[in-house]
């Protein structure tokens, strides 16, 4: 089956599953947007082996087209510390960090630009189902500052660490700062528990959650350095940024800590 055939199969399957009468777009970009939207809105539930096989083949081919960046090919900015500006869903390392919401089920907003949306889209439907199973067993929303580990499915990394960062409403508080630091510590602790060799952090709580970029980066760098000093951990840490502003901030902060 061609990539176009896989894409159309997935769209038609999801439209039928949703009892939707929407028509198949002619343009490839519109088809891709529709497929992502349908995957974003799909509730956590099992899928047929045929659907999962074709979905996995489709996502793996999309990843091949985008290209994978291996942490082994990155140049450290400090010992066991890397700064990389790129798409976290294309990074090959032991674990990437997802800035999740308290439901821990991924972003349901069609084609939203958040990292939670991207990770769940390109990992595949299996990720949302695993998250739902974890949350059902837990029985409550995920507290801010904690983290959970799942498989990565169609992503090039081995695992995804999901952490709920603080939402800043109004002035930044000490509680906000402590909760953000806890996100980094929780992820690192889980990574060490599972004996992971590398972890890539996104800019947790910035953007939609309104944590100031400069202060968030300071807390991120300080938390990681303190954790590694206190625990003697040798884990490799990638600070993965998307915006030029964050790249400039982390470059300055990490340069000062060489």
């Amino acid at each position: 089956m061609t990539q176009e055939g896989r894409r159309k199969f997935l769209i038609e399957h999801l439209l039928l599953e949703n009892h939707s009468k929407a028509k198949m777009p002619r343009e490839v970009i519109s088809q891709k947007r529709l497929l992502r939207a349908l995957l974003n809105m799909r509730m956590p539930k099992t899928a047929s082996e045929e659907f999962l096989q074709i979905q996995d083949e489709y996502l793996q081919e999309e990843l091949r087209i985008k290209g994978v960046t291996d942490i082994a090919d990155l140049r450290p900015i400090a010992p066991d510390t890397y700064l990389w500006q790129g798409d976290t869903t294309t990074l090959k390392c032991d674990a990437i960090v997802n800035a999740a919401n308290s439901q821990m089920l991924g972003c349901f907003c069609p084609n939203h630009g958040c990292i939670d949306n991207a990770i769940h889209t390109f990992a595949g439907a299996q990720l949302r189902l695993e998250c739902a199973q974890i949350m059902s067993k837990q029985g409550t929303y995920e507290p801010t500052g904690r983290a959970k580990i799942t498989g990565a499915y169609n992503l090039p990394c081995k695992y995804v660490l999901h952490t709920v960062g603080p939402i800043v409403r109004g002035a930044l508080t000490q509680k906000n700062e402590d909760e953000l630091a806890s996100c980094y510590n929780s992820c690192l602790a889980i990574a060490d528990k599972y004996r992971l060799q590398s972890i890539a952090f996104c800019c947790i709580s910035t953007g939609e959650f309104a944590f100031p970029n400069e202060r968030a980066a300071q807390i991120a760098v300080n938390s990681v350095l303190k954790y590694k000093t206190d625990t003697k951990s040798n884990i490799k840490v990638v600070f993965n940024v998307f915006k030029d502003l964050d790249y400039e901030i982390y470059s300055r902060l990490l340069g000062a800590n060489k």
Side-chain angles (χ1 to χ4, degrees):
M1 186 180 292
T2 65
Q3 189 70 341
E4 180 183 8
R6 297 185 188 106
R7 183 170 56 249
K8 289 183 176 180
F9 170 89
L10 295 171
I11 291 172
E12 289 170 354
H13 179 98
L14 292 169
L15 288 174
L16 183 63
E17 188 177 77
N18 289 340
H19 306 288
S20 173
K21 296 182 180 180
K23 294 183 179 180
M24 180 74 66
R26 291 185 178 181
E27 300 80 8
V28 170
I29 189 169
S30 297
Q31 290 176 7
K32 289 186 174 183
R33 284 186 59 83
L34 177 57
L35 176 56
R36 179 164 181 166
L38 291 168
L39 289 170
N40 295 157
M41 294 185 293
R42 187 178 188 271
M43 298 302 292
K45 54 187 175 182
T46 58
S48 69
E49 290 185 7
E50 181 184 26
F51 175 85
L52 292 178
Q53 179 182 341
I54 294 175
Q55 173 211 248
D56 292 352
E57 291 173 353
Y58 177 80
L59 292 174
Q60 288 296 316
E61 177 61 13
E62 289 297 293
L63 177 62
R64 187 196 67 78
I65 293 169
K66 288 190 292 185
V68 172
T69 298
D70 195 319
I71 187 175
D73 297 327
L74 298 181
R75 181 178 178 181
I77 194 169
D80 293 330
T81 305
Y82 303 79
L83 175 61
W84 180 65
Q85 186 174 21
D87 179 355
T88 194
T89 66
T90 66
L91 182 61
K92 183 179 180 180
C93 60
D94 281 355
I96 62 171
V97 173
N98 178 30
N101 56 49
S102 60
Q103 288 183 305
M104 295 283 281
L105 297 180
C107 173
F108 284 88
C109 182
N111 292 292
H112 194 256
C114 69
I115 191 171
D116 195 18
N117 187 293
I119 287 174
H120 275 268
T121 297
F122 297 109
Q126 300 97 316
L127 180 56
R128 178 166 283 168
L129 180 59
E130 182 180 357
C131 287
Q133 292 168 342
I134 291 171
M135 296 308 291
S136 177
K137 184 177 180 180
Q138 178 167 293
T140 61
Y141 287 149
E142 182 72 359
T144 302
R146 296 252 298 273
K148 292 286 191 293
I149 187 169
T150 67
Y153 301 99
N154 291 289
L155 300 174
C157 57
K158 297 177 182 177
Y159 300 96
V160 179
L161 296 173
H162 308 260
T163 189
V164 181
I167 300 174
V168 178
R169 297 182 175 90
L172 188 66
T173 66
Q174 185 62 51
K175 181 181 179 183
N176 294 150
E177 296 191 351
D178 292 344
E179 288 175 336
L180 183 58
S182 180
C183 289
Y184 287 92
N185 290 328
S186 296
C187 289
L188 288 165
I190 291 179
D192 274 339
K193 178 181 178 181
Y194 281 79
R195 298 184 179 181
L196 306 187
Q197 301 300 306
S198 56
I199 182 174
F201 284 104
C202 60
C203 300
I204 302 167
S205 278
T206 58
E208 294 289 324
F209 283 15
F211 208 107
N213 297 64
E214 178 84 26
R215 186 59 185 140
Q218 292 171 352
I219 292 170
V221 171
N222 291 339
S223 297
V224 168
L225 293 178
K226 185 176 187 304
Y227 177 90
K228 294 186 70 172
T229 298
D230 291 347
T231 64
K232 311 301 181 190
S233 174
N234 293 319
I235 191 169
K236 293 180 172 64
V237 174
V238 180
F239 291 103
N240 172 214
V241 301
F242 181 74
K243 297 179 179 179
D244 291 341
L245 170 64
D246 290 315
Y247 188 86
E248 294 170 3
I249 293 171
Y250 276 93
S251 295
R252 173 164 37 83
L253 294 174
L254 292 168
N257 283 284
K258 283 185 177 180

